[in-house]
Amino acid sequence: MAYIDGNRNQQMFFPPTIEDYVRFDNPVRAYDAFIEALDFNGLGIVLNGMKAGAKEYNPKMLLKIIVFGYSYGIRTSRKLERACHDNLSFIWLTSDLKP
């Protein structure tokens, strides 16, 4: 019987876009839509992308990581960071940023 071997040097290992990393019915999409629908100004959280100084990560994306991670039992910042590097759902959620 022959073995099925992978090739790490193949041209396309992942789908061509990050959007294709998770299926349409993946729960991570619900978390993303929920956080996007929140009224941050109504909650007293001011989002200002035009501040001077060094750029920072979008607070909405950071909240998505925390809420999604906590719902799956990932509670420490180091584990959340690791998930942003290794877990396709987190990679999709952060658009491949590594906070």
Side-chain angles (χ1 to χ4, degrees):
M1 178 174 8
Y3 294 114
I4 298 175
D5 289 324
N7 180 4
R8 291 189 178 129
N9 296 318
Q10 65 189 4
Q11 282 296 91
M12 187 176 0
F13 184 67
F14 287 112
T17 65
I18 293 174
E19 184 62 31
D20 297 332
Y21 281 13
V22 297
R23 295 185 350 208
F24 184 72
D25 60 346
N26 193 309
V28 71
R29 291 181 183 270
Y31 288 92
D32 180 61
F34 175 74
I35 301 297
E36 285 296 326
L38 288 177
D39 179 20
F40 281 81
N41 290 329
L43 295 171
I45 302 170
V46 179
L47 300 178
N48 181 6
M50 303 303 290
K51 288 193 266 183
K55 292 189 177 208
E56 55 190 41
Y57 290 105
N58 189 330
K60 284 186 178 183
M61 181 192 60
L62 297 174
L63 182 60
K64 290 175 190 179
I65 294 169
I66 292 169
V67 171
F68 184 66
Y70 275 37
S71 68
Y72 282 91
I74 303 171
R75 290 179 167 70
T76 66
S77 60
R78 290 184 185 191
K79 288 183 180 179
L80 288 169
E81 179 191 11
R82 192 175 315 128
C84 289
H85 286 268
D86 301 335
N87 187 313
L88 288 180
S89 294
F90 279 92
I91 292 171
W92 179 85
L93 197 59
T94 64
S95 299
D96 203 22
L97 295 175
K98 310 295 188 218

